[in-house]
Amino acid sequence: MDENRGEANRGGQIRGTADGTASVPLSVLDLVTVGAGRTASQALRTSVDIARLTERRGFHRFWVAEHHSMPGVASSSPAVILAHLAAHTERIRLGSGGVMLPNHAPLVIAEQFGTLEAMAPGRVDLGLGRAPGTDGATAAALRRTDRLNEGALGSPLVERSRDLGEDFPQQLAELIRFLDDDFPDGHPYARIHAVPGPVQATSPGGVQSPARPPVWLLGSSGFSAQLAGVLGLPFAFAHHFSARNTVPALDLYRESFKPSAVLDAPYALIGVSALAADDEREARRQVLSGALSMVRLRTGRPGLVPTPEEAEAYDFSPMEREFVDNWLADIVHGTADEVRDGLDALAERTGADELMITANAHGGEARLRSYELIADAYGLPDLG
């Protein structure tokens, strides 16, 4: 085990090997982006194409994120998408970036990812977040409420919202118990088993591998950073939408870190928005469409990702223009060499052990071209 970025086998592989001139492993975060004039079916096919391309070019992992009630993001069901990707890939690690734990029962997640591990042994990651991945009303629709029946049958239900994010450490501990099948004797869940899972190896005649997906904590602030450190888990920070908090959160993670059964030293991945094109102008056109999509999302008007032409023609208000300028300042974009230089500088500044690239653009062609150009810039081999 590498003493600086090491891990134990119990949690599965964490670190990859950087080829060529890449200083750290390069990975991909995909949102199954749906552009204007495109369908969710097309977006899912594009995600398969990107997974195949990045596998062929030696990227380390491919994660999908859980979002809800966003027309331009078709990744509401990470486990379903990952099963589809597992059927179309062979080597690249697949995972969630992440599953929003408060939206789900821990046993259900353990079962889903145990199934994925059975489908793609040794290459599934379970990244967990504590946010709902949506707005408050949608979070309530995801059953994040206590429902109290007042009065007789047929009377209205009164909903009392409860932020299940407060229970995140307890939910996490329960999920890990289900994954490891090690609730203590006397616990109410001691005789409940997540299947597929380790119980199959200990059953009479069992030959099921006891391995399970490694757990990652995701975050955009200090809470999950500190929790990941205390628990000795790998940590993924959402630099792509919380860039100002990146260094403080990573410092907190490293300061809080305690060696564990799954990791003997801190391992920090950061998500970064990056898009390469054949020239600077085209890169700017592509990222501007993603910026306009974010303007609409932040102002309560979520929709499909607009075309570059629509974004160029859009009349931004002064406030919107300020938002776009700040947003674009945190996106690494330009030619392949410019993107490589930007990514290297970011890795150096943050000390990240791995970079996970996400490209928010209208069309799949631009995203595919971007990953190909980045692979070329780093001299990543074509593995065929």
Side-chain angles (χ1 to χ4, degrees), residues 84-150:
H84 184 56
L85 295 173
H88 289 86
T89 57
E90 297 178 354
R91 298 182 302 271
I92 196 167
R93 293 195 64 82
L94 302 170
S96 56
V99 165
M100 301 296 105
L101 179 53
N103 294 343
H104 311 277
L107 176 58
V108 171
I109 297 176
E111 291 173 335
Q112 289 176 344
F113 277 76
T115 302
L116 289 168
E117 177 66 24
M119 290 178 175
R123 61 186 186 104
V124 175
D125 300 322
L126 173 52
L128 299 166
R130 63 187 287 264
T134 187
D135 60 88
T138 308
L142 288 164
R143 301 177 184 268
R144 288 165 51 88
T145 56
D146 290 335
R147 296 172 181 265
L148 305 178
N149 190 340
E150 292 190 344

Side-chain angles (χ1 to χ4, degrees), residues 24-79:
V24 297
L26 301 176
S27 296
V28 173
L29 173 65
D30 191 64
L31 303 183
V32 194
T33 304
V34 185
R38 309 290 176 95
T39 66
S41 295
Q42 290 172 314
L44 288 163
R45 285 196 293 269
T46 295
S47 293
V48 170
D49 291 341
I50 294 174
R52 285 172 162 170
L53 168 68
T54 52
E55 176 177 71
R56 176 171 58 82
R57 295 306 308 267
F59 286 73
H60 185 39
R61 35 181 131 243
F62 190 97
W63 284 3
V64 296
E66 177 183 345
H67 290 287
H68 299 278
S69 195
M70 298 180 186
V73 178
S75 59
S76 58
S77 302

Side-chain angles (χ1 to χ4, degrees), residues 23-28 59 267-272 342-344 346-347 350 352-357 378:
S23 58
V24 297
L26 301 176
S27 296
V28 173
F59 286 73
Y267 191 94
L269 171 158
I270 62 172
V272 53
L343 293 176
D344 286 346
L346 182 61
T350 62
D353 299 296
E354 185 172 340
L355 298 180
M356 179 163 276
I357 301 166
Y378 277 106

Side-chain angles (χ1 to χ4, degrees), residues 34-325:
V34 185
R38 309 290 176 95
T39 66
S41 295
Q42 290 172 314
L44 288 163
R45 285 196 293 269
T46 295
S47 293
V48 170
D49 291 341
I50 294 174
R52 285 172 162 170
L53 168 68
T54 52
E55 176 177 71
R56 176 171 58 82
R57 295 306 308 267
F59 286 73
H60 185 39
R61 35 181 131 243
F62 190 97
W63 284 3
V64 296
E66 177 183 345
H67 290 287
H68 299 278
S69 195
M70 298 180 186
V73 178
S75 59
S76 58
S77 302
V80 175
I81 296 170
L82 292 172
H84 184 56
L85 295 173
H88 289 86
T89 57
E90 297 178 354
R91 298 182 302 271
I92 196 167
R93 293 195 64 82
L94 302 170
S96 56
V99 165
M100 301 296 105
L101 179 53
N103 294 343
H104 311 277
L107 176 58
V108 171
I109 297 176
E111 291 173 335
Q112 289 176 344
F113 277 76
T115 302
L116 289 168
E117 177 66 24
M119 290 178 175
R123 61 186 186 104
V124 175
D125 300 322
L126 173 52
L128 299 166
R130 63 187 287 264
T134 187
D135 60 88
T138 308
L142 288 164
R143 301 177 184 268
R144 288 165 51 88
T145 56
D146 290 335
R147 296 172 181 265
L148 305 178
N149 190 340
E150 292 190 344
L153 184 65
S155 63
L157 290 174
V158 176
E159 296 186 354
R160 177 170 56 85
S161 295
R162 180 168 65 95
D163 183 4
L164 297 183
E166 297 174 358
D167 298 336
F168 185 78
Q170 292 75 27
Q171 288 181 299
L172 174 63
E174 183 178 308
L175 171 57
I176 291 175
R177 289 282 192 185
F178 277 124
L179 289 171
D180 290 334
D181 197 48
D182 66 353
F183 282 101
D185 291 340
H187 191 282
Y189 296 159
R191 300 182 66 181
I192 299 175
H193 309 286
V195 178
V199 68
Q200 292 166 311
T202 59
S203 299
V207 293
Q208 174 76 21
S209 169
R212 54 87 163 164
V215 171
W216 290 67
L217 293 194
L218 281 59
S220 58
S221 64
F223 181 93
S224 291
Q226 187 170 27
L227 183 60
V230 170
L231 297 178
L233 296 175
F235 177 59
F237 186 81
H239 174 84
H240 53 297
F241 62 81
S242 188
R244 304 300 179 268
N245 293 327
T246 303
V247 172
L250 295 187
D251 286 345
L252 181 59
Y253 169 59
R254 293 168 183 138
E255 292 166 1
S256 305
F257 187 84
K258 297 179 180 179
S260 69
V262 298
L263 200 61
D264 62 9
Y267 191 94
L269 171 158
I270 62 172
V272 53
S273 289
L275 189 137
D278 292 297
D279 58 69
E280 292 181 28
R281 181 180 180 278
E282 180 60 19
R284 175 78 180 189
R285 290 180 72 246
Q286 294 296 336
V287 297
L288 187 61
S289 66
L292 175 55
S293 182
M294 286 304 303
V295 166
R296 290 171 171 169
L297 177 63
R298 294 293 177 89
T299 55
R301 300 171 291 152
L304 303 179
V305 178
T307 65
E309 293 75 18
E310 181 182 353
E312 285 183 316
Y314 184 83
D315 185 17
F316 291 94
S317 70
M319 184 177 296
E320 290 174 336
R321 175 56 62 184
E322 181 180 4
F323 172 87
V324 167
D325 290 343

